[in-house]
């Protein structure tokens, strides 16, 4: 039985904790730390039988009984805490992004190279979604031949505040980064160059803050294949997360999940459910799978499903995309 | 080039005439007859270049230059005109039903036996619908194994008048007869017995006229397989015409056609088109195919797609169904 | 915090236990009993922190600290243990059927009348399925007008042994009982009469054992509306569980769940996922919801989602259906 | 009754002729001209009752009895024959493109300005497709709010020869031109700039001939909205023609047409039809509608559905796209 410490008890920290409690039998959450720790969080943690509840994440880093650390704290602390956890000999599950700065990501990679016995993963939860996985399996099976085009549609239900947009590293680092990883995942390829056609169509304040809320992003892959992502920060009908891989012998396509398969047929037409509202609804099962598969990788000493290099690769594409959006030119990754 | 005479210039007579003009190059409509013949019908027929336009159908029967007769007159004249046309040595396309009376249908079958050189077909247009044909092909291909259950949903957009219902021979002879033929077509089997659970749910006047407007009909096929039909005379969202064949290795299923594949996704959900409104919309192409395939069978002296026996078989099932609806019992066909 | 005892640690007992552990915070599984109790079950129960693990269910019935009993034992023990649990003052979640015998079900109902403070529910899990619930909500919302026809398709992936079929009370009591409840649930109505067209199409041994493996069942509801169920004990493509309610202003329809929304488009056509394999896959979330909602009803002293009368009603229809299958006649419920 | 002359009796000339014969009652095809005129074409034309059959298109231009000319000849003759027909006072239906050269298109526009009584249309047949029209209607209805993104997927079943590719003006002028028009049609907006990421993934010979066979094209519209087109010259599953318009309040989306709605459900999954094979199949009805609506516009003296300016606009975008593909830069239209 391995011991797990959770750093960060916000929304995603709680989701992961609950997943481990529900689905993992080979490891146990023994500690949680969060600088804010409102009473209800303390009560929630106690209810789950978590022994150590602290405001100081170093209580977890420094606890020799803890084997695995989940870093669910604010993004700007990810790389620093990763380094500390690695130094302390912990396996690390780090929420995305590892860092916005390539140097600091490389520092994490270097630290990992020095401790090959440690497992490290970055939380690209969409790779664990049943729909995207089914598309990837179809690609891998050879059913669609050689990959020629990857298409990703990714639209959030509602925009963040302009303030958040400004501090998040921008839409490409904050939102599209998942789609960049999805292109790599679905194609099994590296990205060579990127061109962005950005726009501010949803909230002018986001534009004033120097960011964009809409974009079409074209990517060229190393093999010569193409990819295209379309993003919007606001989608009236919910969270729109679709993908398509087109190849020499066919295509693999996935749609959204709705709350049910029910339809009403009447004079208005044939009406089905909207897509599930947002990432917690759509990816609930994916969050559970990503954590359980990481823990399995630790327990069985097998390869992690998403390694640190994937975390770096997506950030490098996001940096290139940000530059393309500014310059209006194709940028090499 | 064969010459065709059309008897009856109502809705369906016009549909067939237009189909022949548009799609058939090996035969020509040279005459049309209808006792009413309003001016606009005369003008329409002239516009199509039809040489002979008459109020007396005998002008067609007695014209030795005419090879093929399409009987699109009122139902109660079908068997009589069929007999006259056969006697005159014409190939006959007869709209359904041949007759409501088995004796008179048998008279037609006897007349045909005496003239094996003549082609005779009955207008079960749905057999020519692309959706039902695709289901039948799947069944024939063996993809679903041995047939175990045939399901047919058949709902009209709006009920007929109670007066029509009373004079039509009843719902089973007027409406379900198409579905009985569909069960035979999709299964490739004969019906052994029938049980009807009828209801008057749409228009009480139909019930007062001694008919029903809703029904669930269960059939047992000769092989032991089952079939079930559900009917309604009123369907808020249009003409609902679906079928399913379930077999030992799978199922073949078809849905409705809509005006387009377009969907609107918004806060109301994901909304597609209604089914096409009624039989002229849904079966327009099927009407053309049924006429052109019959003419091809005449031209090439090959088997007709729907023979007279099929016309008899459906009527026999309808008679049994009518009795079951009255007695509440299973009735052998 | 209420204490729960689980009687029966077979497949469904384990499913419910796990659901409570995962999702219920207001009650706790403190005891489990099963006459067989293999080592792995003991280990599994210990792993979940269940304090009392016994071969004798009376250890649960007689434990005054236990508030709620889940009866997941073999069907022939349901009514007896229900009575014992009620006598001991426990709230009872009883798997379906309460009993095959109406007298014994009535005994349970009588016992409950004498203790109105106790909650009792019967495990019709499909009422908690997201698809059927969405259809029911559409019906309740008035979107489809007055109910005229309920259609239920229910096909198991693989037949039981003929031996099981013989001892199960027959297909209508064992399998169709869920569909009878579904007709009541979706329509909100009582069943007046039933006609069954049964068949043995899957396994002759089932027929030799006196049971059927296929059937079309027609029901007349008290309002005059109709319902139809089609069943098969073997479905090549998995567990086929669909429903449709047709009304005066439209229809509400639900399909199956697949493992994903992914499709492969190639020269074979456009191919999506099969339905989920069987009830554990399809109804996993429904099982969790049914248990959590029952426990909520106990905790909050509100109405249970499926009451004992529903358990009786479905059995009464199953008895009538069994008679109809034997006699070939319509049978009043 | 207006008289029509058809110039060019290739595939598309024949399609239009047949559509007029089948569906148009207010005009008549009286002449056809084609420099090749094989015997079977002569026979076909005679069979349709076309009086004048000639190898010289000037027989049509110079015939004062002819009111309307359909230019279905090879692309490099379109503008010249248009000018001649306009000079002769004919209404003109010109297949796309009017010309590859902007100067020559402008010459046609100038000639039309001098004869405002003449109707001129360019054959962007996809605007008459039921699916795209339904999407456009949804956009116009306001159901999806303000347009933010237009997506067009357009894939041909099989690539042309490299020789054809080289002489066609390139993929953007030959194939994508339809998609450029579709972006204008669906959005109701003008294009401001274009960026192309081209690739040669299907046939290296096409690349050696200086053309591309795959591309992702990003467009910026005058309003600031975005558009994206993905093209391939080869699609294993047929002709893939889909569109989506995303707006502030929702999205309107259309898919392909298949030969039927039938599906086979078996152990392989749930398999539906492929998209229809190519443009003749998919757009057969659209071709008929475009010709009949143009003739109606002439007969009723109303606005043509696609004017000459639309023909110019699409060519201007294609020119910009061609330059972007060469330079790798965003190009203003």
């Amino acid at each position: 039985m391995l011991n797990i410490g959770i750093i960060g008890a916000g929304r995603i920290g709680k989701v992961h904790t609950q997943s481990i409690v529900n689905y993992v039998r080979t490891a146990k959450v023994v500690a949680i730390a969060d600088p804010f720790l409102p009473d209800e969080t303390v009560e929630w943690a106690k209810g789950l039988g978590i022994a150590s509840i602290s405001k100081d994440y170093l209580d977890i880093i420094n606890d020799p009984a803890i084997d695995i650390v989940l870093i669910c704290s604010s993004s700007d602390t990810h790389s620093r805490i990763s380094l500390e956890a690695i130094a302390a000999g912990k396996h690390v599950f780090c929420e995305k992004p590892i860092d916005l700065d390539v140097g600091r990501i490389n520092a994490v990679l270097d630290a990992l190279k020095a401790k090959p016995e440690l497992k490290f993963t970055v939380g690209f939860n969409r790779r664990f979604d049943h729909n995207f996985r089914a598309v990837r399996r179809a690609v891998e099976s050879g059913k669609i031949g050689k990959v020629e085009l990857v298409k990703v549609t990714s639209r959030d239900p509602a925009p963040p505040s302009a303030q958040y947009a400004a501090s998040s590293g921008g839409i490409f680092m904050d939102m599209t980064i998942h789609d960049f990883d999805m292109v790599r995942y679905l194609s099994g390829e590296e990205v060579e160059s990127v061109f962005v056609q950005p726009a501010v169509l949803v909230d002018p304040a986001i534009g004033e803050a120097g960011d964009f809320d809409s974009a079409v992003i074209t990517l060229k892959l190393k093999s010569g294949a193409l990819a295209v992502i379309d993003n919007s920060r606001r989608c009236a009908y919910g969270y729109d997360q679709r993908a398509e891989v087109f190849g020499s012998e066919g295509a693999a396509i996935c749609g959204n999940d709705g709350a049910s398969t029910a339809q009403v047929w009447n004079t208005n037409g044939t009406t089905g459910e909207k897509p599930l509202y947002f990432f917690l609804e759509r990816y609930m099962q994916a969050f559970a799978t990503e954590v359980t598969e990481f823990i399995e990788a630790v327990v069985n000493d097998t390869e992690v499903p998403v390694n640190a290099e994937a975390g770096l690769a997506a950030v490098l594409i996001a940096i290139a995309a940000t530059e393309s959006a500014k310059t209006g030119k194709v940028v090499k990754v």
Side-chain angles (χ1 to χ4, degrees), chain A:
Chain A
M1 181 72 74
L2 297 174
N3 291 323
I4 298 175
I6 310 280
I7 297 176
R11 193 165 50 176
I12 199 66
K14 281 178 175 155
V15 164
H16 288 318
T17 304
Q18 189 68 55
S19 293
I20 296 167
V21 168
N22 286 359
Y23 302 114
V24 177
R25 298 284 159 256
T26 54
K28 199 179 160 169
V29 178
V30 297
I32 194 158
D34 191 288
F36 301 108
L37 266 195
D39 288 353
E40 71 225 21
T41 298
V42 173
E43 196 170 345
W44 164 84
K46 281 184 181 165
L48 293 174
I50 299 175
S52 160
I53 304 168
S54 163
K55 289 198 174 185
D56 186 355
Y57 76 94
L58 290 172
D59 290 347
I60 288 175
I61 300 291
N62 295 330
D63 182 346
I66 287 177
D67 305 288
I68 299 171
V69 170
L70 266 66
I71 304 176
C72 309
S73 50
S74 64
S75 289
D76 56 353
T77 67
H78 288 179
S79 63
R80 178 167 51 85
I81 300 181
S82 288
L83 288 171
E84 292 172 337
I86 293 163
K90 314 294 191 205
H91 304 286
V92 175
F93 177 111
C94 180
E95 271 303 321
K96 70 95 207 168
I98 303 177
D99 205 295
L100 305 188
D101 180 87
V102 174
R104 284 197 289 268
I105 300 174
N106 277 326
V108 173
L109 266 75
D110 289 344
L112 287 168
K113 267 176 215 141
K115 300 215 175 177
E117 73 280 11
L118 294 185
K119 305 286 179 190
F120 183 97
T121 199
V122 58
F124 282 130
N125 57 291
R126 295 183 196 177
R127 291 193 183 208
F128 303 85
D129 174 66
H130 54 296
N131 294 326
F132 296 129
R133 281 203 157 176
V135 169
R136 176 61 191 155
R137 272 196 302 268
V139 172
E140 284 181 317
S141 74
K143 276 180 193 167
I144 67 160
K146 198 168 172 310
V147 173
E148 294 180 0
L149 176 67
V150 178
K151 294 175 70 177
V152 175
T153 290
S154 179
R155 299 169 186 158
D156 284 354
S161 67
Q163 189 185 357
Y164 174 88
S167 69
S168 68
I171 185 172
F172 308 110
M173 195 62 88
D174 179 59
M175 177 179 176
T176 324
I177 195 168
H178 278 293
D179 307 310
F180 294 138
D181 184 64
M182 187 50 57
V183 168
R184 293 183 70 247
Y185 172 64
L186 292 179
S187 67
E189 285 193 42
E190 295 302 327
V191 172
E192 187 173 288
S193 66
V194 58
F195 169 79
V196 176
Q197 177 66 64
V200 179
L201 301 170
V202 175
D203 182 359
I206 289 176
E208 285 154 22
D211 198 9
F212 307 98
D213 54 36
S214 306
V216 173
I217 300 118
T218 311
L219 304 126
K220 192 171 175 187
L221 308 185
K222 285 274 197 279
S223 70
L226 306 177
V228 60
I229 298 163
D230 68 89
N231 283 151
S232 176
R233 283 286 201 181
R234 182 260 301 107
C235 182
Y237 48 86
Y239 194 43
D240 194 350
Q241 299 274 298
R242 289 174 283 157
E244 174 175 340
V245 184
F246 175 73
S248 55
E249 295 172 29
I253 297 178
C254 70
N256 292 301
D257 289 333
S260 79
T261 63
Q263 292 198 325
V264 171
W265 295 8
N266 59 21
T267 50
N268 296 323
T270 54
T271 301
E273 302 265 8
K274 282 177 291 192
L276 295 174
Y277 182 66
F278 205 2
F279 68 93
L280 283 183
E281 291 85 4
R282 164 70 183 261
Y283 294 122
M284 184 50 76
Q285 192 58 48
F287 284 123
T289 306
E290 89 174 331
V291 149
T292 57
E293 291 196 3
F294 173 67
I295 295 173
E296 278 169 26
V298 172
V299 169
N300 303 324
D301 193 15
T302 54
E303 198 140 336
V304 293
V306 191
N307 59 23
E309 284 74 13
L312 175 60
V315 166
L316 289 173
I317 305 169
I319 290 169
T322 306
E323 192 189 330
S324 175
K326 276 185 197 144
T327 62
K329 294 189 175 159
V330 177
V331 177
K332 296 242 168 198
V333 176

